[in-house]
Amino acid sequence: MSQQSLQTKLVSVVQHVDQHGSSVPPIYQSTTFKIGSLEDDASQPYDYTRSGNPTRTVVQHQIGKLYDVDAAQVLAVSSGMTALDVILRALVLTHKSRVPTIIAGDDLYGGTQRLLTHLESRNHARVLHVDTANYDAFVELFKQQEHVDCVLLESPTNPLLKVADLPRLTHFIKSSNDACLVAIDNTMMSGMLCNPLKFQCDVVYESATKYLNGHHDIMAGIVVTRTPKMAQEIYFMVNSTGSGLSPFDSWLLVRGLKTLGVRLYQQQHNAMVLSHWLENSCGFVDKKGVKGSPRTRFVGLKSHPQFELHKSFNSGPGAVLSFETGSYEHSRRLVSSRKIKIWAVTVSFGCVNSLISMPCKMSHAAIDPALRQERDFPEDLVRLCCGIENIADLQNDLLEAMIDADIIELRDEGKTIYNKLNGHIATNTVGQGKLPNIYEEFFSQDLVERGSILTSRAKL
Ligand SMILES: *Cc1c(COP(=O)(O)O)cnc(C)c1O
């Protein structure tokens, strides 16, 4: 039989023995499991839900498919931050006599930054930050250290969308010091678009709160390791602290995973159309390379300085993008406009609903403004996380808000967009040609070619 694609594998759920023959594995909402035999308790797979639960086992199997590993290398935990916590406790903060050194990026997820700062302040770890998108700067810092215990990588970063060359960095680290743990936060891509285990990193984790579940109704995290032994060490922490994913949340995550392929396809499609439109029609384009001028940031755009690099190890751009209007005040007015009806003003991403935010006022507000400036964080940055809605509706909603915020003016009965901040004029392409009727799309093309498009959908 030919190898099934990921979309197919995630829709089917591992066979289970059920007395009623239910098609969907039930939720084992039970704390304890009865002991079958006092003589042979080692053969009993479950006894107490902190240690193991059949519904959690099912989701771990599904994640194993996503990363092409055995379920024995997967752990489902209660959040993305829990995933990082158990990885660090089990595999990094393990020395009795030495404070471990961790190197991480300088544009990290806020929660990661907070946890690392806490560890550093208690002297549990020495934490060094570097721009991991700058390979040479990373190598220099790494070589200066006597001993590096762990490197924590994330790509692309959020919301600046800087790309770290994960395969090259991992190769350098492992060939310099095989004992240095390479951990990758794969939340921005998900296992469907990037599998860092294929280039020999040690452990990958994701906030399953984002793309994997996709509906913003649970918190969850997953950890996938290169070897079963590492997973056992992490399992020790999960069992000791009770950080395993609850049965109900495991069940919801199994359900969310079934639609990961179609959701990502639509979300990436929307992000592609939107980013092109923001750049070409709305004029958020950096013409002179001047700092502080408007621009659109998305790894799916050819104008992204690391477009080719990102493409070389990911099979899609994801659905998070950001743009700068060139004016803090106008960005603030845009995100707080009452004209916004579809885009939800909220943090997070990966949901079926589209989200808009202003990072310097929301997710990144906790970072000292001086530090934001030092790291070239644009204060006028607007972040967009595309959901699965109709793209023209999303564009029109944003357009209304941009008009309300005095950024954009529509001319020629809406056919032309004028950017009042930089004078850019262009045709408004909303609703043009991109979403053909399904009959036309299907019957006007060679079906064989069409078939190959359908099977590689998530990899837009
Ligand atoms: C959301 C997120 C996390 C944390 O995950 P939670 O499920 O919120 O704990 C970690 N890393 C990245 C990149 C994230 O976006």
Side-chain angles (χ1 to χ4, degrees):
M1 206 178 94
S2 68
Q3 177 72 19
Q4 286 182 352
S5 75
L6 215 42
Q7 284 97 327
T8 310
K9 288 187 196 167
L10 291 178
V11 171
S12 67
V13 179
V14 279
Q15 286 300 317
H16 64 290
V17 185
D18 171 55
Q19 57 177 326
H20 304 294
S22 77
S23 311
V24 172
I27 310 170
Y28 285 91
Q29 192 70 31
S30 179
T31 309
T32 50
F33 296 85
K34 289 178 190 160
I35 302 290
S37 150
L38 282 180
E39 276 65 53
D40 184 21
D41 63 348
S43 68
Q44 172 125 0
Y46 306 103
D47 59 356
Y48 193 57
T49 282
R50 172 155 44 70
S51 310
N53 177 283
T55 318
R56 194 184 302 145
T57 302
V58 172
V59 80
Q60 290 176 165
H61 265 97
Q62 297 304 90
I63 298 295
K65 294 179 188 176
L66 186 62
Y67 281 91
D68 198 19
V69 296
D70 196 83
Q73 286 154 256
V74 180
L75 294 132
V77 295
S78 58
S79 74
M81 289 318 304
T82 305
L84 177 59
D85 180 47
V86 291
I87 291 167
L88 291 176
R89 277 203 261 181
L91 303 177
V92 182
L93 308 173
T94 52
H95 298 279
K96 290 194 186 110
S97 55
R98 190 163 56 78
V99 175
T101 297
I102 301 172
I103 300 184
D106 66 355
D107 181 23
L108 293 173
Y109 173 72
T112 306
Q113 179 76 48
R114 178 171 50 208
L115 184 60
L116 293 180
T117 305
H118 172 83
L119 293 176
E120 165 111 320
S121 71
R122 307 290 151 108
N123 206 30
H124 293 321
R126 209 176 132 239
V127 183
L128 305 167
H129 295 282
V130 64
D131 177 2
T132 47
N134 182 341
Y135 178 80
D136 295 333
F138 175 86
V139 168
E140 195 185 321
L141 181 72
F142 188 94
K143 284 184 173 165
Q144 281 165 4
Q145 313 308 313
E146 211 167 289
H147 193 92
V148 180
D149 297 86
C150 171
V151 176
L152 187 57
L153 298 167
E154 221 179 285
S155 182
T157 61
N158 168 23
L160 295 185
L161 299 154
K162 289 196 286 190
V163 179
D165 191 343
L166 299 180
R168 191 169 174 218
L169 287 164
T170 305
H171 180 76
F172 163 77
I173 298 160
K174 295 311 273 184
S175 50
S176 307
N177 171 14
D178 191 44
C180 176
L181 186 91
V182 179
I184 295 183
D185 179 342
N186 198 32
T187 310
M188 279 283 278
M189 284 293 104
S190 87
M192 193 159 262
L193 302 180
C194 180
N195 186 350
L197 292 172
K198 300 281 184 211
F199 45 77
Q200 298 302 306
C201 88
D202 296 301
V203 48
V204 186
Y205 69 100
E206 260 189 73
S207 165
T209 312
K210 313 289 167 59
Y211 288 117
L212 300 191
N213 181 59
H215 293 74
H216 274 184
D217 47 16
I218 61 163
M219 303 290 303
I222 54 122
V223 180
V224 191
T225 60
R226 187 166 50 78
T227 65
K229 184 170 171 287
M230 286 176 181
Q232 276 158 21
E233 283 160 17
I234 297 171
Y235 169 75
F236 177 85
M237 288 315 310
V238 172
N239 184 31
S240 304
T241 59
S243 40
L245 193 60
S246 77
F248 186 47
D249 290 347
S250 297
W251 187 84
L252 281 172
L253 183 52
V254 168
R255 187 166 77 156
L257 281 167
K258 291 181 184 178
T259 54
L260 178 64
V262 285
R263 282 188 283 109
L264 262 180
Y265 174 74
Q266 181 73 18
Q267 287 178 274
Q268 292 186 102
H269 171 271
N270 287 351
M272 279 290 203
V273 176
L274 194 74
S275 60
H276 274 266
W277 177 73
L278 286 170
E279 200 173 59
N280 300 324
S281 293
C282 301
F284 300 116
V285 53
D286 181 8
K287 288 191 192 119
K288 302 169 226 80
V290 181
K291 214 169 136 182
S293 64
R295 62 190 279 198
T296 307
R297 299 174 191 247
F298 183 48
V299 288
L301 281 177
K302 289 214 167 126
S303 61
H304 191 288
Q306 294 158 309
F307 173 81
E308 291 296 340
L309 173 63
H310 178 85
K311 202 160 144 264
S312 70
F313 64 93
N314 297 279
S315 50
V320 176
L321 59 131
S322 58
F323 69 101
E324 287 144 74
T325 61
S327 153
Y328 166 81
E329 190 49 31
H330 286 85
S331 294
R332 194 194 58 75
R333 281 170 65 184
L334 165 63
V335 177
S336 47
S337 169
R338 299 217 169 269
K339 297 281 179 185
I340 297 181
K341 299 278 187 266
I342 303 174
W343 296 86
V345 184
T346 166
V347 294
S348 198
F349 63 88
C351 183
V352 289
N353 300 87
S354 291
L355 319 172
I356 186 170
S357 67
M358 194 161 176
C360 80
K361 299 282 277 178
M362 298 164 68
S363 52
H364 289 57
I367 302 175
D368 182 9
L371 188 61
R372 285 203 302 259
Q373 197 170 11
E374 185 190 311
R375 292 179 180 175
D376 279 338
F377 194 94
E379 299 286 304
D380 60 333
L381 193 81
V382 177
R383 190 184 74 159
L384 299 172
C385 307
C386 295
I388 63 170
E389 303 93 336
N390 173 283
I391 182 60
D393 290 340
L394 288 175
Q395 287 169 293
N396 282 324
D397 203 53
L398 206 55
L399 198 53
E400 289 282 328
M402 290 195 289
I403 294 166
D404 187 44
D406 226 17
I407 298 168
I408 294 288
E409 187 181 291
L410 280 183
R411 293 183 174 175
D412 310 329
E413 289 154 2
K415 290 196 209 78
T416 304
I417 291 184
Y418 173 63
N419 183 322
K420 291 165 111 172
L421 304 181
N422 68 351
H424 186 279
I425 294 188
T427 308
N428 181 10
T429 54
V430 173
Q432 276 181 18
K434 281 291 171 206
L435 287 174
N437 176 301
I438 186 77
Y439 297 104
E440 284 165 22
E441 189 166 312
F442 195 82
F443 292 110
S444 63
Q445 284 182 46
D446 181 326
L447 289 191
V448 177
E449 194 183 307
R450 180 72 200 144
S452 73
I453 293 170
L454 284 173
T455 49
S456 57
R457 261 159 66 116
K459 308 171 179 178
L460 194 86

